[in-house]
């Protein structure tokens, strides 16, 4: 027997679960969830079945028909990446019930106390299950090879409301007997509790399981979209303005990739500690508030998460070793949507920023080139530690290369056929390549498919974008090396993306006086656009411009998005002669740590442990 996924205890001969029914009681006072999950298999099964857990206490395994206990055991040791294996012994069972409780240190959950929220009145909790954190919320086969439908009852305090990446059924009073052993009826039906009920009728991988509970309000922004956030009128109004064009993007996506299969495309703007830009949870995308920039450019993150509705959510990588199938396709699809909605120049800027990011990742992984491949070997590797732009940008470059080879009309037809053929399935790189060769005969003679998917580095037939604005910005960045700052008339029309591209093309170490002069003229360190601010602060750290340490500290304490934490902490501690910066980084992290999501805490700890 062998696991089907390097990040899961699920064995290759275990049947894969098809449906879950969850009852979850939220105890904010102890930052825990008392829960039960009824797991359904496609057919009756006899013998052991292995599930993934992390930091869960499991109280019982039960036959739901007879209420008789079933033998179960948790592995005595904890794998630092996978957690603990839970083995349940079945005897001709197609369903079994598990009773469990989460731990306050659950790697998927961030519990925010009232002072950590906008209104500072009520607590808040939300999930981030990608890549392998669903197992810290409930026992499951936590591999994208398993696709599940589910129903969920969330028992929460009356003053709060819940959202999920699922269809909302109703909000109602609790009913005795429905806790399914998650807790006693006296607790479930206590005064001041409400139940929010949800159902997900389409099969999704476990990493797309998502909820948030707090003081949540909403605004309608289109026929298929509401924006949700903490119930603060200013936040809701700003989000509604930023994402007003969402319906147009959905229609463009449907024209390019086929029907939108998820009915709703709602958006939840989370507190600043959310560790990603966006998370493509179906029906309810989770977003960082840093994407609300006031100029609708944050819609590009929404375009990416929307594109996942076809590539990633409909067709999913079978394991994280094929993550590029999710992210490379989605980055390509995002840029096609952006091009249709915002124009070719904006799409070219997007590609240019991605190109710079890809080259920087080659530098980051120069001592571990395995992670510059599209198809990687992740045995014994934590996917959060090697998360990078490579699957996004090298994957995009690969698909763009195929498009250039066969022409856009033919590639569009291929994409639609690919999505229609594999929707609601989890596949691997070989499956994609076989489909490509069958549908584009002779493609392997024109493009080295093995080099692109299994080779290290950036292939020679990858390409920088071609556009006048991209060329102009890169040329202005080159002139800065010779002491010429851009004139105000040259940057009048620049928004965040133009500045981000400019800063990312500057040399990594410039004179501190040059940087200060650039900032004095254009106030980049104070930019409301975090992409611009962080790109500038990275340069300031690299140039030993310590005048900006207070702004670096403020930024690291204000947001928990790993896209900003990773480069800023890395810049502070990498390299020689950085003793003062290392002390500074260690102090800032010790003070900011509790405000970060557990995934972000782990990533920063990993960076610091390598260099301190």
């Amino acid at each position: 027997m062998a696991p089907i996924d390097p990040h899961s205890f699920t064995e290759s001969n275990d049947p894969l679960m098809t449906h879950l029914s969850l009852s979850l009681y939220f105890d904010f006072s102890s930052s825990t969830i008392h829960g039960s999950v009824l797991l359904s298999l496609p057919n009756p099964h006899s013998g052991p079945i292995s599930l993934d857990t992390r930091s869960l206490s499991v109280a019982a395994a039960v036959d739901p028909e007879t209420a008789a206990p079933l033998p179960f055991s948790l592995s005595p040791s904890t794998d630092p990446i996978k957690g603990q294996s839970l083995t349940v012994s079945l005897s001709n069972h197609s369903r079994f019930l598990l009773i469990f409780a989460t731990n306050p240190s659950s790697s998927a959950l961030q519990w925010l106390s009232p002072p950590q929220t906008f209104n500072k009145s009520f607590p808040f909790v939300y999930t981030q299950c990608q890549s392998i954190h669903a197992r810290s919320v409930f026992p499951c086969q936590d591999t994208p090879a398993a696709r599940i439908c589910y129903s969920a009852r969330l028992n929460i305090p009356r003053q709060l409301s819940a959202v999920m990446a699922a269809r909302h059924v109703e909000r109602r009073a609790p009913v005795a007997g429905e806790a399914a052993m998650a807790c006693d009826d006296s607790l479930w039906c206590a005064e001041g509790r409400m139940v929010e009920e949800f159902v997900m009728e389409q099969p999704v991988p476990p990493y797309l399981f998502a909820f948030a509970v707090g003081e949540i309000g909403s605004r309608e922004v289109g026929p298929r979209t509401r924006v949700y956030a903490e119930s603060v009128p200013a936040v809701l109004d700003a989000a509604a303005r930023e994402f007003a064009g969402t319906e147009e993007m959905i229609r463009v996506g449907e024209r390019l990739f086929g029907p939108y299969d998820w009915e709703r495309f709602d958006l939840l703007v989370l507190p600043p500690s959310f560790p990603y830009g966006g998370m493509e949870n179906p029906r309810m995308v989770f977003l960082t508030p840093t994407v609300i920039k006031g100029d609708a450019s944050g819609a590009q993150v929404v375009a990416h998460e929307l594109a996942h509705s076809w590539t990633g959510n409909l067709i999913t990588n079978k394991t994280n070793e094929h993550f590029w199938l999710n992210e490379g396709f989605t980055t390509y699809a995002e840029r096609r949507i952006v091009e249709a909605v915002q124009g070719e120049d904006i799409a070219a800027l997007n590609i240019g920023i991605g190109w710079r990011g890809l080259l920087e990742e080659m530098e980051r992984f120069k001592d571990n080139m395995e992670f510059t491949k599209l198809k990687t070997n992740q045995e014994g590797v934590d996917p959060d530690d090697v998360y990078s732009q490579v699957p996004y940008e090298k994957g995009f470059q690969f698909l763009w290369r195929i498009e250039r080879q066969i022409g856009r009309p033919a590639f569009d037809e291929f994409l639609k056929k690919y999505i229609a053929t594999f929707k609601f399935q989890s596949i691997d790189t070989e499956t994609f390549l076989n489909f490509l060769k069958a549908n584009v005969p002779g493609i392997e003679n024109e493009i080295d498919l093995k080099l692109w998917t299994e080779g290290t580095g950036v292939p020679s037939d990858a390409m920088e974008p071609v556009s006048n604005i991209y060329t102009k910005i890169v040329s202005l960045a080159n002139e800065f090396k010779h002491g010429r700052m851009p004139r105000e008339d040259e940057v009048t029309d620049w928004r965040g993306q133009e500045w981000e591209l400019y800063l990312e093309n500057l040399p990594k170490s410039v004179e501190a006086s040059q940087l200060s002069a650039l900032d004095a003229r254009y106030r980049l360190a104070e930019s409301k656009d975090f992409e611009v601010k962080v790109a500038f602060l990275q340069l300031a750290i690299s140039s030993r411009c310590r005048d900006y340490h207070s702004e670096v500290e403020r930024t690291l304490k204000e947001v928990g998005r790993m896209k900003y934490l990773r480069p800023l902490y890395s810049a502070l501690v990498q390299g020689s002669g950085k003793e003062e910066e290392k002390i500074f980084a260690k102090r800032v992290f010790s003070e900011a740590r509790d405000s970060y999501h557990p995934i972000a805490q782990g990533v920063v700890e990993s960076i610091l442990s390598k260099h301190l």
Side-chain angles (χ1 to χ4, degrees):
M1 290 197 302
I4 60 169
D5 180 330
H7 301 122
S8 174
F9 292 109
T10 305
E11 299 285 354
S12 54
N13 58 350
D14 282 351
L16 293 177
M17 57 192 186
T18 55
H19 188 276
L20 304 177
S21 181
L22 289 139
S23 298
L24 304 175
Y25 178 92
F26 288 74
D27 183 353
F28 281 91
S29 64
S30 64
S31 300
T32 54
I33 296 170
H34 302 281
S36 67
V37 58
L38 179 65
L39 296 97
S40 297
L41 304 173
N43 298 296
H45 178 70
S46 293
I49 188 167
S50 298
L51 304 173
D52 300 304
T53 76
R54 183 187 294 122
S55 308
L56 293 179
S57 55
V58 180
V62 176
D63 179 335
E65 315 304 330
T66 64
L70 297 171
F72 76 94
S73 63
L74 276 168
S75 59
S77 61
T78 299
D79 182 283
I81 296 166
K82 295 191 287 188
Q84 281 180 291
S85 165
L86 170 64
T87 305
V88 183
S89 297
L90 302 180
S91 179
N92 204 36
H93 290 94
S94 57
R95 301 195 308 158
F96 58 102
L97 183 72
L98 298 172
I99 318 303
F100 64 91
T102 64
N103 187 289
S105 66
S106 162
S107 60
L109 296 167
Q110 185 170 24
W111 298 85
L112 299 173
S113 63
Q116 291 175 291
T117 65
F118 276 110
N119 278 345
K120 311 203 180 307
S121 306
F122 295 105
F124 195 100
V125 63
Y126 68 90
T127 54
Q128 172 55 40
C129 289
Q130 195 178 41
S131 296
I132 52 170
H133 301 282
R135 67 193 66 185
S136 70
V137 185
F138 56 93
C140 59
Q141 292 166 323
D142 195 5
T143 167
R147 300 186 73 101
I148 50 166
C149 301
Y150 65 85
S151 60
R153 299 185 187 110
L154 278 56
N155 186 304
I156 61 175
R158 182 188 300 277
Q159 311 94 310
L160 306 183
S161 55
V163 294
M164 276 197 96
R167 180 168 64 80
H168 187 247
V169 178
E170 62 177 336
R171 176 182 170 96
R172 55 170 176 76
V175 176
E178 69 179 357
M181 300 175 67
C183 62
D184 292 340
D185 275 351
S186 59
L187 208 54
W188 187 267
C189 298
E191 186 73 27
R193 304 292 298 192
M194 294 296 287
V195 167
E196 300 254 24
E197 199 162 341
F198 298 86
V199 61
M200 172 46 83
E201 289 147 325
Q202 291 135 312
V204 294
Y207 72 79
L208 291 176
F209 177 85
F211 62 70
V213 178
E215 188 185 20
I216 297 171
S218 69
R219 296 278 188 276
E220 194 83 43
V221 295
R224 290 181 269 191
T225 307
R226 289 188 81 84
V227 172
Y228 293 81
E230 284 191 72
S231 200
V232 180
V235 176
L236 287 164
D237 293 343
R241 284 192 299 273
E242 192 80 24
F243 308 129
T246 301
E247 179 61 25
E248 183 188 0
M249 291 197 296
I250 299 173
R251 287 183 184 150
V252 168
E254 289 184 307
R255 194 170 72 238
L256 289 169
F257 313 120
Y260 180 78
D261 275 317
W262 305 94
E263 186 184 5
R264 298 284 305 171
F265 183 71
D266 293 327
L267 308 168
L268 171 67
V269 179
L270 282 158
S273 57
F274 184 58
Y276 291 99
M279 181 61 212
E280 64 270 19
N281 305 311
R283 300 183 64 107
M284 183 66 72
V285 165
F286 284 15
L287 294 167
T288 166
T290 62
V291 300
I292 302 174
K293 302 178 182 184
D295 61 5
S297 63
Q300 290 194 22
V301 173
V302 174
H304 184 89
E305 307 313 331
L306 169 65
H308 269 302
S309 303
W310 292 274
T311 54
N313 295 5
L314 268 190
I315 306 175
T316 306
N317 48 233
K318 189 172 269 187
T319 76
N320 219 67
E321 297 183 316
H322 308 274
F323 189 47
W324 80 273
L325 288 171
N326 278 20
E327 296 300 351
F329 272 89
T330 297
T331 302
Y332 176 86
E334 166 208 340
R335 287 172 182 157
R336 291 294 303 277
I337 293 170
V338 167
E339 181 184 309
V341 174
Q342 298 184 350
E344 288 183 16
D345 274 348
I346 299 295
L349 286 178
N350 193 315
I351 295 168
I353 291 166
W355 176 256
R356 289 300 313 168
L358 179 59
L359 298 183
E360 284 173 16
E361 298 291 22
M362 295 303 129
E363 177 64 22
R364 173 184 162 197
F365 289 118
K366 65 178 186 286
D367 297 327
N368 196 349
M369 293 297 281
E370 175 68 25
F371 300 109
T372 68
K373 298 176 181 177
L374 287 183
K375 180 186 165 191
T376 55
N377 176 3
Q378 294 194 15
E379 191 66 49
V381 173
D382 186 332
D384 290 333
D385 285 348
V386 295
Y387 176 85
S388 80
Q389 291 302 301
V390 173
Y392 296 74
E393 298 300 341
K394 189 175 177 179
F396 163 79
Q397 285 284 343
F398 181 33
L399 298 173
W400 198 28
R401 173 69 185 88
I402 299 169
E403 183 206 285
R404 292 198 299 277
Q405 185 65 40
I406 67 175
R408 180 169 277 190
F411 191 60
D412 283 355
E413 286 310 304
F414 168 79
L415 263 186
K416 278 185 174 168
K417 186 175 181 185
Y418 167 71
I419 291 165
T421 301
F422 294 108
K423 72 182 201 175
F424 296 114
Q425 295 179 50
S426 299
I427 67 168
D428 57 20
T429 301
E430 286 66 36
T431 304
F432 166 73
L433 292 177
N434 290 336
F435 184 80
L436 174 67
K437 288 184 281 192
N439 285 275
V440 187
I443 188 72
E444 65 271 33
N445 302 321
E446 306 293 338
I447 299 174
D448 189 335
L449 303 179
K450 190 175 175 70
L451 176 74
W452 267 100
T453 53
E454 297 180 40
T456 59
V458 180
S460 59
D461 50 348
M463 198 172 102
E464 270 188 274
V466 179
S467 91
N468 291 337
I469 189 162
Y470 176 78
T471 307
K472 178 188 167 189
I473 291 170
V474 172
S475 133
L476 281 171
N478 287 330
E479 288 181 19
F480 188 80
K481 298 168 191 172
H482 308 298
R484 185 171 105 68
M485 202 185 297
R487 297 189 313 269
E488 294 195 15
D489 63 299
E490 291 173 310
V491 303
T492 307
D493 299 329
W494 284 16
R495 298 193 305 177
Q497 269 190 302
E498 287 87 343
W499 275 113
E500 183 186 356
L501 185 65
Y502 176 78
L503 291 168
E504 289 187 352
N505 277 278
L506 294 181
K508 282 296 165 255
S509 54
V510 296
E511 289 295 322
S513 58
Q514 275 184 291
L515 265 190
S516 298
L518 182 66
D519 186 48
R521 183 176 291 182
Y522 294 115
R523 320 302 300 171
L524 300 173
E526 299 163 20
S527 174
K528 294 283 184 285
D529 186 326
F530 276 86
E531 309 291 332
V532 175
K533 179 200 282 266
V534 170
F536 179 82
L537 292 177
Q538 267 183 273
L539 283 169
I541 295 166
S542 301
S543 303
R544 305 290 176 94
C545 200
R546 289 174 181 149
D547 295 352
Y548 290 99
H549 275 199
S550 60
E551 193 59 52
V552 171
E553 178 169 351
R554 189 157 39 245
T555 303
L556 289 172
K557 288 180 173 178
E558 193 176 332
V559 293
R561 186 177 176 184
M562 293 191 293
K563 184 178 184 182
Y564 309 141
L565 303 186
R566 189 181 269 115
L568 289 178
Y569 279 110
S570 295
L572 285 169
V573 299
Q574 282 173 358
S576 57
K578 290 272 195 81
E579 291 319 306
E580 188 178 325
E581 284 84 351
K582 288 178 180 180
I583 292 165
F584 171 71
K586 194 173 178 181
R587 175 183 65 76
V588 171
F589 179 58
S590 70
E591 293 169 9
R593 185 185 185 282
D594 287 349
S595 68
Y596 296 160
H597 186 281
I599 296 172
Q601 291 175 3
V603 165
V604 177
E605 281 164 355
S606 171
I607 291 167
L608 298 186
S609 68
K610 283 185 191 132
H611 298 282
L612 296 184

